[in-house]
Amino acid sequence: MLLVCRVGAYITVPGINGELILQSFRAATGGGQNLFQFVDMFTGGAFAKMTLVALGVMPFISASIFIQILMSVFPSLQKEIRENGDAGKRKLGKWTRILTLIIALFQSGLYAKQALSFNVATPGVIFSEFVQVTAFGVPWLFFLVTMLSMTTGSLFLMWIGEQITEKGIGNGVSMIISLGILSALPRTLGSILSGLNVDSQDAGQLTITSLIVLSVIFVAIIFGTVMVLQGLRKLPIQYARRSVDGAGSARKTPFIPLKVNFAGIMPVIFASSFLMFPATIALLMKGSPLVTKITGYIAQGTPGYMILFVTLIVLFTFLWTSMQFRPDQIATEMKKSGAFIPGVRQGKPTEDAINYSMKRITWLGAFLLAFIAILPTIVGKLLSVDPTISQFFGGTSILILVGVILDTSKQIESHLIMQKYDGFMSSSKVTGKF
C-alpha cells in the first residue's frame, strides 16, 4: 500500500508539464526556507511536481484538527461520541471524510490557480488544449481536471491510511507522512555532497565542522525524542484487599503509568499542518501586500515562525491529552478493583489527583517536544546550512520518523507476543516465534 502511495507521487496531473512546473516552483521558492517547501517535504516532493497526490494527507489532518477543536468547544458533542461507542466513531469518521473532501477541493482549486500564474510566466507549464477550453474567461476544463484529480488522490491516500490502521500495523496516515519525509533522503545526501564540494579543492558552502555539528544534533534529537515519547511518571497505588505476606512484600509496587508526552507526535503533525494554512491563503490572495507581509513574518526559520510553532505544539498537546486521557474512567476502575493512591480518597479526589499529576507532566512533555522540534532550525540558521539539509535533519522530520518507528515496533511486538501466548495456550496451533 505504501508503494502505491509513492507511485502516485510520480504521476503528474493531466495537462501539466511536470518538468516546467518543477522549475517554476523552485524559481518561486527562491531556494530559501518557506511554507511551500514545508508542504513539499510532507508530500515527498509530490507538491512541487503537481502530481495526483500533491495534496498528500494534509486535507485529512486539517479536517481532523477542525473536528477535534469542535469537540473541545462543544463538550456535549464529545460526550455523545463517547457514549455511542462504535456508532459514535463511525459518525465522527463520516464528518471527517466530508470535511476532507471540502478542504481538498478548495486547496486543489488554489493550486490550479497557482499553476495558471506559472503558465503566464513560463508558457508551456499547462498544455494549450486544457487552457483553450474556457467559459466566461475561465479555463474550466483545466480547473475541473485538476481539482478532480488532486482531490481523488488525496481521498485515496486517506483511504489507504485508514486501511493500514484498521487491517495492518501502525498508524496509516503517520506512515504515509513518514514515507514522504524518507523519500527526501537521496536529495538530502546530494545536497550534503554538493555543499561539501568534494570534487574541488575550493571550500564549499557546508564545512566539515557544520556537518559534525548537524550529526551530533541529529543523534541528540533521536535520543531526546525516544526519552520524551517513552518517559513515564509512575503514580504508586495500593490495593485494599491485597494480602501482605513474605511473597507479597517482594512484589513490585503497582503504579499508574502516566506518559510524559501522552499525545505522542500528533501535536507536531497538527502544528505543522496548521502552519500550512498561511501558504494556502497566500495562494488565494497572491499580490496582497498585507498577506505578503504576514507570511513573511511567519516564514520558516524566522522568530515569528518558531514562536508560533512552539505555541501550537503546546496547545495541541493539551488539546489531544484532554480529548484522549480519561482520569474519571481511571478513578472509576480503581474504585471497582479496590485500588487507591496512598493518602488520597477514592472517587473524585483520586480523579483530581490523577488529573493534577497529568497536567504537570504534560507541561514538561509539551515544551520538551517543542524544543526538539525547533532546535535544528536554530542551529541551521546559525551555521547557514542549506534549507534542504536543515529541513530533513530538522526536529519536525525526525520527531515524526522516530515516533512512527516506535509506535509501529510496539504494535509488531504486541502482535508477536499475542501469537506466542496463543501458541503456548493451544496445542493445536504453532507457537509464534520472534
Tab-separated table of all heavy atoms in Angstrom, residues 174 228-229 259-270 313-325 358 361-362 365-366 369 403:
chain	number	residue	atom	x	y	z
A	174	SER	N	0.217	8.486	9.599
A	174	SER	CA	1.571	8.827	10.043
A	174	SER	C	2.620	8.123	9.200
A	174	SER	O	3.671	8.691	8.877
A	174	SER	CB	1.751	8.458	11.519
A	174	SER	OG	0.850	9.176	12.332
A	228	VAL	N	11.537	11.360	25.456
A	228	VAL	CA	10.282	12.085	25.682
A	228	VAL	C	9.076	11.190	25.405
A	228	VAL	O	8.097	11.181	26.168
A	228	VAL	CB	10.231	13.355	24.801
A	228	VAL	CG1	8.849	13.986	24.852
A	228	VAL	CG2	11.267	14.356	25.262
A	229	LEU	N	9.126	10.420	24.314
A	229	LEU	CA	7.981	9.596	23.945
A	229	LEU	C	7.836	8.370	24.837
A	229	LEU	O	6.736	7.846	25.004
A	229	LEU	CB	8.110	9.151	22.479
A	229	LEU	CG	8.065	10.269	21.435
A	229	LEU	CD1	8.188	9.689	20.031
A	229	LEU	CD2	6.773	11.070	21.542
A	259	LYS	N	2.195	8.920	30.927
A	259	LYS	CA	3.218	9.238	29.931
A	259	LYS	C	3.574	10.721	29.991
A	259	LYS	O	2.684	11.578	30.081
A	259	LYS	CB	2.736	8.876	28.530
A	259	LYS	CG	2.474	7.384	28.341
A	259	LYS	CD	2.193	7.045	26.897
A	259	LYS	CE	3.429	7.217	26.041
A	259	LYS	NZ	3.223	6.735	24.663
A	260	VAL	N	4.859	11.003	29.919
A	260	VAL	CA	5.318	12.400	29.915
A	260	VAL	C	4.748	13.134	28.709
A	260	VAL	O	4.366	14.297	28.804
A	260	VAL	CB	6.859	12.460	29.914
A	260	VAL	CG1	7.346	13.896	29.765
A	260	VAL	CG2	7.406	11.844	31.185
A	261	ASN	N	4.680	12.438	27.588
A	261	ASN	CA	4.081	13.028	26.397
A	261	ASN	C	2.984	12.089	25.913
A	261	ASN	O	3.207	11.232	25.055
A	261	ASN	CB	5.147	13.236	25.313
A	261	ASN	CG	4.591	13.972	24.113
A	261	ASN	OD1	3.525	14.558	24.183
A	261	ASN	ND2	5.295	13.935	23.019
A	262	PHE	N	1.804	12.237	26.503
A	262	PHE	CA	0.691	11.342	26.211
A	262	PHE	C	0.244	11.458	24.758
A	262	PHE	O	-0.206	10.484	24.151
A	262	PHE	CB	-0.484	11.666	27.140
A	262	PHE	CG	-1.641	10.719	27.017
A	262	PHE	CD1	-1.637	9.519	27.711
A	262	PHE	CD2	-2.722	11.020	26.212
A	262	PHE	CE1	-2.700	8.633	27.610
A	262	PHE	CE2	-3.786	10.143	26.093
A	262	PHE	CZ	-3.777	8.946	26.795
A	263	ALA	N	0.375	12.642	24.165
A	263	ALA	CA	-0.106	12.879	22.805
A	263	ALA	C	0.827	12.332	21.738
A	263	ALA	O	0.466	12.299	20.559
A	263	ALA	CB	-0.319	14.379	22.582
A	264	GLY	N	2.057	11.928	22.108
A	264	GLY	CA	2.989	11.407	21.115
A	264	GLY	C	3.428	12.475	20.125
A	264	GLY	O	3.723	13.613	20.497
A	265	ILE	N	3.441	12.107	18.841
A	265	ILE	CA	3.886	13.040	17.799
A	265	ILE	C	2.724	13.784	17.151
A	265	ILE	O	2.946	14.624	16.270
A	265	ILE	CB	4.674	12.298	16.700
A	265	ILE	CG1	3.799	11.204	16.066
A	265	ILE	CG2	5.967	11.729	17.251
A	265	ILE	CD1	4.379	10.596	14.833
A	266	MET	N	1.503	13.501	17.589
A	266	MET	CA	0.346	14.139	16.952
A	266	MET	C	0.382	15.663	17.048
A	266	MET	O	0.025	16.349	16.089
A	266	MET	CB	-0.945	13.597	17.561
A	266	MET	CG	-1.201	12.123	17.278
A	266	MET	SD	-1.056	11.682	15.524
A	266	MET	CE	-2.378	12.663	14.823
A	267	PRO	N	0.804	16.274	18.184
A	267	PRO	CA	0.878	17.743	18.216
A	267	PRO	C	1.813	18.323	17.163
A	267	PRO	O	1.538	19.387	16.599
A	267	PRO	CB	1.394	18.040	19.635
A	267	PRO	CG	0.987	16.866	20.443
A	267	PRO	CD	1.092	15.700	19.515
A	268	VAL	N	2.930	17.642	16.880
A	268	VAL	CA	3.865	18.124	15.863
A	268	VAL	C	3.229	18.057	14.479
A	268	VAL	O	3.335	18.995	13.678
A	268	VAL	CB	5.170	17.298	15.893
A	268	VAL	CG1	6.132	17.778	14.816
A	268	VAL	CG2	5.824	17.401	17.261
A	269	ILE	N	2.539	16.957	14.184
A	269	ILE	CA	1.867	16.819	12.889
A	269	ILE	C	0.756	17.859	12.763
A	269	ILE	O	0.605	18.512	11.724
A	269	ILE	CB	1.302	15.395	12.726
A	269	ILE	CG1	2.446	14.375	12.705
A	269	ILE	CG2	0.471	15.278	11.463
A	269	ILE	CD1	1.984	12.934	12.616
A	270	PHE	N	-0.037	18.047	13.822
A	270	PHE	CA	-1.120	19.021	13.788
A	270	PHE	C	-0.584	20.440	13.621
A	270	PHE	O	-1.116	21.227	12.828
A	270	PHE	CB	-1.963	18.928	15.067
A	270	PHE	CG	-2.946	17.798	15.067
A	270	PHE	CD1	-3.039	16.941	13.993
A	270	PHE	CD2	-3.783	17.576	16.144
A	270	PHE	CE1	-3.947	15.891	13.976
A	270	PHE	CE2	-4.704	16.538	16.150
A	270	PHE	CZ	-4.771	15.693	15.061
A	313	ILE	N	2.324	23.681	19.210
A	313	ILE	CA	2.655	22.356	19.744
A	313	ILE	C	2.146	22.211	21.177
A	313	ILE	O	1.548	21.188	21.541
A	313	ILE	CB	4.178	22.108	19.682
A	313	ILE	CG1	4.630	21.917	18.232
A	313	ILE	CG2	4.556	20.873	20.501
A	313	ILE	CD1	6.121	21.742	18.068
A	314	VAL	N	2.354	23.239	21.988
A	314	VAL	CA	1.887	23.192	23.383
A	314	VAL	C	0.355	23.108	23.431
A	314	VAL	O	-0.216	22.303	24.186
A	314	VAL	CB	2.393	24.425	24.157
A	314	VAL	CG1	1.773	24.466	25.554
A	314	VAL	CG2	3.917	24.409	24.264
A	315	LEU	N	-0.318	23.921	22.632
A	315	LEU	CA	-1.782	23.918	22.626
A	315	LEU	C	-2.346	22.585	22.167
A	315	LEU	O	-3.265	22.031	22.796
A	315	LEU	CB	-2.301	25.047	21.722
A	315	LEU	CG	-2.128	26.478	22.241
A	315	LEU	CD1	-2.611	27.485	21.196
A	315	LEU	CD2	-2.892	26.680	23.540
A	316	PHE	N	-1.797	22.040	21.082
A	316	PHE	CA	-2.304	20.774	20.568
A	316	PHE	C	-1.959	19.612	21.500
A	316	PHE	O	-2.695	18.618	21.538
A	316	PHE	CB	-1.762	20.506	19.158
A	316	PHE	CG	-2.463	21.289	18.087
A	316	PHE	CD1	-1.762	22.106	17.224
A	316	PHE	CD2	-3.844	21.213	17.941
A	316	PHE	CE1	-2.403	22.831	16.236
A	316	PHE	CE2	-4.503	21.933	16.957
A	316	PHE	CZ	-3.783	22.751	16.102
A	317	THR	N	-0.855	19.716	22.232
A	317	THR	CA	-0.526	18.679	23.213
A	317	THR	C	-1.597	18.609	24.291
A	317	THR	O	-2.087	17.522	24.644
A	317	THR	CB	0.845	18.954	23.855
A	317	THR	OG1	1.856	18.952	22.847
A	317	THR	CG2	1.178	17.885	24.887
A	318	PHE	N	-1.981	19.767	24.829
A	318	PHE	CA	-3.015	19.793	25.866
A	318	PHE	C	-4.381	19.413	25.288
A	318	PHE	O	-5.176	18.739	25.960
A	318	PHE	CB	-3.080	21.172	26.512
A	318	PHE	CG	-2.087	21.370	27.617
A	318	PHE	CD1	-0.838	21.926	27.367
A	318	PHE	CD2	-2.378	20.978	28.909
A	318	PHE	CE1	0.085	22.089	28.379
A	318	PHE	CE2	-1.464	21.138	29.944
A	318	PHE	CZ	-0.221	21.699	29.674
A	319	LEU	N	-4.659	19.843	24.049
A	319	LEU	CA	-5.941	19.514	23.435
A	319	LEU	C	-6.069	18.017	23.233
A	319	LEU	O	-7.095	17.408	23.587
A	319	LEU	CB	-6.077	20.252	22.093
A	319	LEU	CG	-7.337	19.936	21.272
A	319	LEU	CD1	-8.586	20.362	22.026
A	319	LEU	CD2	-7.283	20.633	19.912
A	320	TRP	N	-5.032	17.385	22.674
A	320	TRP	CA	-5.079	15.948	22.409
A	320	TRP	C	-5.147	15.155	23.713
A	320	TRP	O	-5.886	14.170	23.815
A	320	TRP	CB	-3.851	15.539	21.596
A	320	TRP	CG	-3.865	14.103	21.159
A	320	TRP	CD1	-3.289	13.046	21.791
A	320	TRP	CD2	-4.518	13.571	19.998
A	320	TRP	NE1	-3.507	11.882	21.108
A	320	TRP	CE2	-4.268	12.171	19.996
A	320	TRP	CE3	-5.271	14.118	18.965
A	320	TRP	CZ2	-4.750	11.330	18.993
A	320	TRP	CZ3	-5.741	13.276	17.971
A	320	TRP	CH2	-5.484	11.919	17.992
A	321	THR	N	-4.373	15.596	24.725
A	321	THR	CA	-4.375	14.903	26.001
A	321	THR	C	-5.748	14.987	26.677
A	321	THR	O	-6.245	13.996	27.227
A	321	THR	CB	-3.303	15.489	26.943
A	321	THR	OG1	-2.022	15.400	26.313
A	321	THR	CG2	-3.261	14.744	28.259
A	322	SER	N	-6.351	16.170	26.625
A	322	SER	CA	-7.673	16.331	27.238
A	322	SER	C	-8.740	15.503	26.525
A	322	SER	O	-9.717	15.064	27.152
A	322	SER	CB	-8.076	17.813	27.232
A	322	SER	OG	-8.235	18.286	25.906
A	323	MET	N	-8.547	15.273	25.222
A	323	MET	CA	-9.519	14.500	24.457
A	323	MET	C	-9.367	12.995	24.685
A	323	MET	O	-10.362	12.256	24.682
A	323	MET	CB	-9.360	14.807	22.957
A	323	MET	CG	-9.707	16.236	22.564
A	323	MET	SD	-11.476	16.568	22.623
A	323	MET	CE	-12.072	15.459	21.388
A	324	GLN	N	-8.129	12.533	24.872
A	324	GLN	CA	-7.871	11.093	24.923
A	324	GLN	C	-7.679	10.552	26.340
A	324	GLN	O	-7.991	9.388	26.593
A	324	GLN	CB	-6.617	10.771	24.086
A	324	GLN	CG	-6.702	11.218	22.640
A	324	GLN	CD	-7.789	10.503	21.864
A	324	GLN	OE1	-8.069	9.336	22.106
A	324	GLN	NE2	-8.415	11.187	20.919
A	325	PHE	N	-7.163	11.381	27.250
A	325	PHE	CA	-6.884	10.909	28.611
A	325	PHE	C	-8.131	11.057	29.466
A	325	PHE	O	-8.706	12.149	29.541
A	325	PHE	CB	-5.710	11.697	29.208
A	325	PHE	CG	-5.283	11.204	30.557
A	325	PHE	CD1	-4.638	9.987	30.685
A	325	PHE	CD2	-5.520	11.956	31.698
A	325	PHE	CE1	-4.238	9.522	31.929
A	325	PHE	CE2	-5.124	11.510	32.939
A	325	PHE	CZ	-4.481	10.286	33.050
A	358	MET	N	-1.145	14.665	35.766
A	358	MET	CA	-1.044	14.612	34.306
A	358	MET	C	-0.809	15.992	33.720
A	358	MET	O	-0.027	16.147	32.771
A	358	MET	CB	-2.334	14.006	33.729
A	358	MET	CG	-2.211	13.627	32.268
A	358	MET	SD	-0.999	12.312	32.044
A	358	MET	CE	-0.871	12.276	30.263
A	361	ILE	N	2.995	17.033	34.213
A	361	ILE	CA	3.959	16.396	33.327
A	361	ILE	C	3.670	16.715	31.859
A	361	ILE	O	4.572	16.658	31.023
A	361	ILE	CB	3.990	14.866	33.541
A	361	ILE	CG1	2.643	14.240	33.209
A	361	ILE	CG2	4.421	14.530	34.942
A	361	ILE	CD1	2.661	12.723	33.265
A	362	THR	N	2.413	17.092	31.544
A	362	THR	CA	2.094	17.484	30.163
A	362	THR	C	2.791	18.786	29.802
A	362	THR	O	3.242	18.967	28.661
A	362	THR	CB	0.571	17.615	29.984
A	362	THR	OG1	-0.042	16.357	30.259
A	362	THR	CG2	0.220	18.024	28.558
A	365	GLY	N	6.322	17.707	29.020
A	365	GLY	CA	6.381	16.993	27.749
A	365	GLY	C	6.157	17.898	26.550
A	365	GLY	O	6.821	17.760	25.521
A	366	ALA	N	5.235	18.865	26.684
A	366	ALA	CA	4.926	19.768	25.576
A	366	ALA	C	6.120	20.656	25.228
A	366	ALA	O	6.469	20.829	24.053
A	366	ALA	CB	3.704	20.620	25.922
A	369	LEU	N	8.975	18.646	23.705
A	369	LEU	CA	8.637	18.327	22.316
A	369	LEU	C	8.868	19.535	21.412
A	369	LEU	O	9.433	19.418	20.315
A	369	LEU	CB	7.175	17.877	22.241
A	369	LEU	CG	6.739	17.114	20.994
A	369	LEU	CD1	7.409	15.758	20.935
A	369	LEU	CD2	5.221	16.944	20.986
A	403	GLY	N	8.889	8.767	16.134
A	403	GLY	CA	7.607	8.440	16.754
A	403	GLY	C	6.878	7.326	16.028
A	403	GLY	O	6.336	6.404	16.662
